[in-house]
Amino acid sequence: MAGVGRHSLRGLIARRIAITVGLLWIISLLVFAATQVLPGDTASAILGKTATPESLAQLRAQLGLDRPVTEQYLDWLGGVVSGDLGRSLAAGLPVGELIGDRVGATLVLAAVTLVLLVPIALALGVLSGMRRDGKLDQLVSWLTLAGVAVPEFVTGTLLALLLATWLGWLPAVSLIPPGESPLAHPQFMVLPVLTLLVAGLASTVRLVRVGVAEAAESGYTEMARLSGISERRVVRRWVLPNALAAGVQVIALTAQWLVGGIVIVEMVFQYPGVGQTLVQSVQSQDIPVVQAVALIIAAIYVLLNLLADVALVLLVPKLRTRR
Amino acid sequence: MSDALRIEGLCVTTAGGEPIVDDVALRVGGGEIVALVGESGSGKTTCGLAALGFARDGARIAAGSIHVGGRELLTLQERELRGVRGRHVSYVSQNPDAALNPAMRVGDHLRELLRAHGQPRTDAVVAGALERVHLPGERAFQRRYPHQLSGGQQQRLAIALALACGPTVAVMDEPTTGLDVVTQARILDEVKRLRDESDLGVLYISHDLAAVSSIADRIVVMYAGRIVEDGPAAPLLARPRHPYTRGLLASVPDHRAPRRLRGIAGAVAAVGERPAGCSFAPRCELATDACRAAVPPLRAVDATRSVRCIHTAEVPPPPAEPLPARAQIDGAAMLEVRDLHVAFGEGVVAAEHVSFAVARGECLALVGESGSGKTTIARCVAGLHAPDRGAIALDGAPLAALARGRTREQRRRLQIVFQNPFASLNPRERVVDGVARPLRELGGSRADALRAAHEMLERVRLPRGLAASRPAELSGGELQRVAIARGLVVDPELLLCDEITSALDVSVQAAVLDLLGELRAELGLTLLFITHDLGVVAAIADRVLVLRDGCVVEQGGVDAVVTAPAEQYTRTLVAAAPSVGG
Amino acid sequence: MTDQPRPTTDPAPGLTRRRVLQGSLSAGGLILLPGVLAACGGGGGAVKSGATGSPASTATPSRGGRLRVGHVGGGTAETLDPNSGIVGIDVARARQLYELLFDFDAKGVPQPRLAVSLEPGARPDRWTLTLRDAAFHGGEPLTADDVLYTWRRIRGKALQSANAIAAIDLKRTRKASATQIDVVLSRPIGDLASLLAHRASFIIPADFDDFAKPNGTGPFTLVSFKSGERSLMRRNADYWGEAPYVDELEQISIPDTTARYNALQGGQVDAIEAIEFAQARQIGDAGNGPVKLVRTPNASALPTYMRLDDDVFADQRVRTAMRLAVDREQSVQAALLGYGSIGNDLFGKGYPSYADELPQRAYDPEQARSLLKAAGQEGLTVKLYTSRAVPGMQEAATAYKQQAQAAGITIDLQSVPAADYYSERYYLKVAFGQDQWSGSFESTTLDGLLPDSGFNITAWDDGVWQRRFVEAQSIVDADERNTVYQELQQPLYDDGGLIVWGYVDFLDAASSKVGGIVPSPLFNLGYYEFRSWWLG
């Protein structure tokens, strides 16, 4: 029955971080293993089908592919830990140099999307959740159902058709000059962000709405009303704090979805981000780039989870404090 | 005595116009505790909420008037109503855990309320409100969250909230359900004290006649949305004038005056399916055509009592059938548990040095509060949990710790019935198939298993037509019968019953206990009966084992333990357990 | 195998294309490019004017502006090394910054570029190469040393064009003067100019190795480059030849077909390469508003191949039956939406060496049936490996399956994921499969029909025929050489293992304000000759 367990809270967060580090290690294993089982090894990918056994052996030795897999893995992992992601086979440049700008561009796209998405989703979710089955709720339900049902690339293509090809208001393709920040060219961000918003809002609003409705229909909210608390106060002090847990999880989920959705949107709009790089380097079997991008994406994913977990623990008294 | 609360002609209907509560009139005087009693579905909570001018989604107050301290609520605007709620009339709900905001600290609950009603909300005021219900007023406690409180503390906090603004009347809806008997007794004392200290009127809603008998000044009995009897507590309990009140009374187990329990046949009709005329007529032995023709009026039978029954003169006194003699069996132990020890994680001991034996044909009750280890012991016996230490033997043969290590024959001989029958039945399967399943698993043919299942369902008096129903279509009492049939269908010798009646209404509980008693006699069953209710123990068991914190406190014949408990803890338990006669 | 890295509509096949191409580097075979066209009229020739739409607005060349071109791109594999580029966009960039000694014109004829002349000696194993008076971007004049350095680099590092110039004996070849080289070959070759026109044999200055700062003789100089994204070039003010019309050239990698098309539609680029059949249809031959179709007929052949060493296909009658069981017109419509033409079981249609007097084989299921009966293979069942690796391939296989039913042939389709089709697991391992080839008879023969060919998909193994071909290569006179080449196609027509049912067009698109596009069978977008393009 201790009060707020500061010590245990720190322990809890430390434990989550430890789990995250472990997860990242497992992911590094999986990423490495996955790139090992791709059809054909890197050497045969480079040499093509007319490779002779001799030229293959020579190239394998050159690339260090003839060493034991565990050694290759440890080497790679050691590099990753010290910030060296290896060299691209296709470009011959350090991977970090190659994808640095692109990781940044993707993060900018994700951040702008989230900054717009979170408040809109929360507002719509709260408004429709508080008045379940009201007119606004039904409208939101229909719109979000449509948004959930239509895949991102269709949404993107339709938006491009409407806003770029027909109306000519926006550029159809995000041709951001190399080396420049996407933020310096907002006109190129509108369509990608809009596409991600349409797709992301749908599921986010629906989930927020469920969380809000659950809190709004709970026994404690009824009790607050029976105690003569004003409706505004009920929403602020009873509904929202309790819907927050669901909200945080929903936003984390949305952010994680975004990681995948961005890959598609980047292809559709030619946005110079890391998703595009991933697709291209998988096609050209540029294994070091694939490994690096996959690891970065997985790490973002896991870190988002960690953030959501920690935020949840900090926001929900029941998790923060001990009985 | 001025009226703290006066309800007249109250009708609450569904959105479709079906009455949930019909023509209810109630008065609670200042400083008076009026108990509103009825089984689930009687409309008592709807009445309680209506006292605050509130109806839940899907219901609306269609007619009537509600006066609180001379203020008519039903003509008020929503904003004005807010000023009355929590200030002049307050509400304590059944489940404090659900009614308290999990994201709000103890002190903030009070502060929010005081703020809403424009009252000072200094630390001293908040501390005072807490201390009034014997909660610590200190800052550390105010900073706790609801989940950091015990069930009893949560309910005290709920009561503190209800009383914080000095209301005229408080509606308390089953405030002690779900609490241990000892805690329940303390809360009831608290309510009485608070009523005595102020001029507070209390509308105390409960399904438990025994619990209200100790505090109520007056008792109002509801059935199917209508008041059927209303009168001062003592005479009403001593001599009920409505067949339903009498039936309820006959159903209430009482450890101080053990007698055979008689349930009320049938079940409460749901809203919208209530019969014309007297709602109780379908379940009433006295019913005549006149009862079914029109709703009987609520008539005064003397200066203080009114009854809604045209046969009130014929209602017999409550039955006092003696229990069949308790078995005194000294034969060899059928089930023997020796030195059982179970611990969960760090330092949580569920059972320690627990030893007992159950003789063939005997009913042994394991009784204790929640956390006493009784369910863990039952799970060990059933082979669902492996004890850390100890031995369990059936007819002298040691049983493997887990069920899967036991022989098929051993498993057949020992069956278990759980508190929640719904969870143990497949929702998509006909109940008769569910009952037949254990037989099929023991290798019986489908036809034989179904025949045996039908027979067994008849034995547990499940109406014949219900055998083909799905679990969701049955009432709680019917489901528990099905679960018992499922336990009995393989012809076991020992039936383990884990709190099988604690989720049932008293009238249904009585019928299930009565049935078990009969089946014992018919089948020569041995029972190991787990319960928290001493009244239930008295009604069915031969011997009792009192558990506390995983240890056996006391054991012996039921009569001896209940009338002359040897241990302090048992004495507390016996004293705290509600009793109509008490 | 295809001779050029043709940008495809789908990035995934692009990969296989690249891999196949990389393979051809290490293949032992000599890669020859289209021979000298003796006389080739427009009609039925390799090249028809394909840029459609109203020429009126763009008829008059005008100067200035920035030309923006959307390419398929090659991600991080894109390079500025002109001798190593393997993706289409690499070739497209190198052609602006550097130049070849000879370059194919839009008709497939090698024309002198950095060379002024190439004269044979007494025997065609010795040639005299004379260089033009030109200068690199850095101001250094072009000399024989630069050419020799380039050749040594290409051969020494086994780069793209190493096989094309493999016959040059670098030990005995020497500089005759600052602008003249005595070229010695290891064997007589009549058509050296085509070899020197190989797409990646761009001349770099001697001892040059900083490819990030390109230094060529080309019509444009580099301003900026980011691999996988875009490059910007400016007109080379000191260019020796006719200066480009546009001031600036921006080349942008847009791998996604729809995105590329949208970029053109939205006016973000002026031209794009490799559009889909459906997009071509949407534009239409007459153009659609601000966008016109750039169509190059007969660009590459889509063969179905049979291995001659297979038990079933070893019988010539079976092979002929399979060739008669395909309805070529219908396949062109069904698989290519009409963006192609029918084939006659031979490669190199439209080139001067093509044997176009051979009778067009037609759909004749009855004849096929009786041939199979004679071969004892009535009701033949065969398994055809297909995939979506090349647009139209799988559709063609499906059409063939239905067409062949009339001849009593059951074709079971075995569909292979696009990314796997050209992997070592399938390619060259199956008896009955599909492929895509382009180039003349002689260049495709080098790749596919000789003992050291890397891509002998039909297992052609006729020693006498192969000797005759090598002899024909040494004929200097183009007409004479082509006559022998045409004769050599008769046995392939009769006994070969190819079912060349059709040729697919290159399909590109441009803004209707772009003028000067001359489609070429060698590459998309008129072999990227951007110096002759203008913005109207």
Side-chain angles (χ1 to χ4, degrees), chain B residues 210-544:
Chain B
V212 303
S213 66
S214 65
I215 60 161
D217 300 314
R218 227 147 41 81
I219 295 178
V220 177
V221 182
M222 271 191 96
Y223 184 79
R226 293 197 191 98
I227 289 172
V228 293
E229 186 161 5
D230 177 350
L236 183 140
L237 292 171
R239 185 73 174 88
R241 302 298 297 269
H242 192 281
Y244 176 64
T245 315
R246 179 181 177 271
L248 262 188
L249 216 47
S251 305
V252 177
D254 193 333
H255 62 292
R256 290 182 204 277
R259 52 183 162 67
R260 183 160 178 188
L261 300 182
R262 289 295 187 186
I264 308 172
V268 185
V271 172
E273 291 165 15
R274 290 173 183 165
C278 173
S279 308
F280 190 62
R283 302 174 76 183
C284 183
E285 290 168 1
L286 301 176
T288 57
D289 287 349
C291 299
R292 291 174 200 108
V295 179
L298 190 65
R299 276 193 308 217
V301 289
D302 59 41
T304 54
R305 284 176 84 178
S306 35
V307 177
R308 194 187 291 274
C309 180
I310 54 177
H311 300 295
T312 183
E314 301 153 43
V315 175
E321 252 179 290
L323 278 173
R326 300 197 194 277
Q328 298 284 334
I329 299 162
D330 308 317
M334 180 181 174
L335 177 78
E336 198 174 356
V337 172
R338 217 174 315 124
D339 201 21
L340 201 68
H341 188 94
V342 183
F344 294 110
E346 321 122 25
V348 183
V349 177
E352 208 172 2
H353 301 305
V354 171
S355 298
F356 61 89
V358 191
R360 186 173 294 280
E362 179 186 43
C363 173
L364 174 70
L366 299 187
V367 71
E369 299 179 87
S370 58
S372 63
K374 54 190 194 300
T375 289
T376 304
I377 295 167
R379 286 173 59 82
C380 288
V381 171
L384 301 173
H385 186 92
D388 298 324
R389 226 177 32 236
I392 303 169
L394 191 61
D395 276 337
L399 284 178
L402 289 175
R404 60 167 181 272
R406 299 177 183 175
T407 67
R408 185 178 278 194
E409 180 60 12
Q410 285 171 333
R411 275 180 289 166
R412 181 191 68 74
R413 291 173 63 193
L414 198 165
Q415 293 287 319
I416 182 163
V417 181
F418 295 101
Q419 174 175 0
N420 180 357
F422 194 78
S424 51
L425 291 167
N426 179 346
R428 280 187 295 272
E429 208 173 46
R430 298 184 307 165
V431 294
V432 65
D433 293 321
V435 172
R437 184 158 298 280
L439 267 182
R440 301 269 289 135
E441 277 160 13
L442 288 168
S445 79
R446 188 179 143 79
D448 287 350
L450 278 179
R451 196 174 325 110
H454 277 292
E455 272 172 27
M456 194 46 75
L457 285 175
E458 209 152 301
R459 264 224 154 101
V460 300
R461 324 233 200 300
L462 189 77
R464 195 179 292 259
L466 296 181
S469 318
R470 316 284 148 177
E473 297 162 27
L474 301 187
S475 71
E478 287 162 344
L479 273 178
Q480 203 52 281
R481 282 167 202 266
V482 170
I484 291 170
R486 191 181 143 102
L488 293 179
V489 74
V490 296
D491 194 19
E493 289 157 40
L494 178 72
L495 194 66
L496 232 159
C497 300
D498 186 6
E499 296 271 20
I500 62 170
T501 61
S502 59
L504 303 176
D505 272 323
V506 279
S507 68
V508 182
Q509 164 174 287
V512 169
L513 292 177
D514 196 31
L515 169 74
L516 264 183
E518 283 177 25
L519 289 172
R520 255 184 88 194
E522 270 174 54
L523 306 173
L525 268 180
T526 307
L527 291 178
L528 182 56
F529 202 94
I530 318 292
T531 181
H532 66 282
D533 188 336
L534 272 180
V536 169
V537 171
I540 188 155
D542 302 316
R543 284 197 306 125
V544 61

Side-chain angles (χ1 to χ4, degrees), chain A residues 49 91 172-173 175 270 280 283, chain C residues 15 23 75-76 230 253 255 268 427:
Chain A
K49 64 186 165 303
V173 181
L175 300 175
Q270 192 58 28
Q280 287 176 354
Q283 280 161 5
Chain C
L15 154 74
T76 51
R230 70 172 81 184
S253 302
Q268 290 177 272
Y427 194 61

Side-chain angles (χ1 to χ4, degrees), chain A residues 300-313:
Chain A
I300 292 174
Y301 208 89
V302 172
L303 288 175
L304 281 171
N305 243 340
L306 174 71
L307 272 180
D309 276 0
V310 172
L312 209 58
V313 168

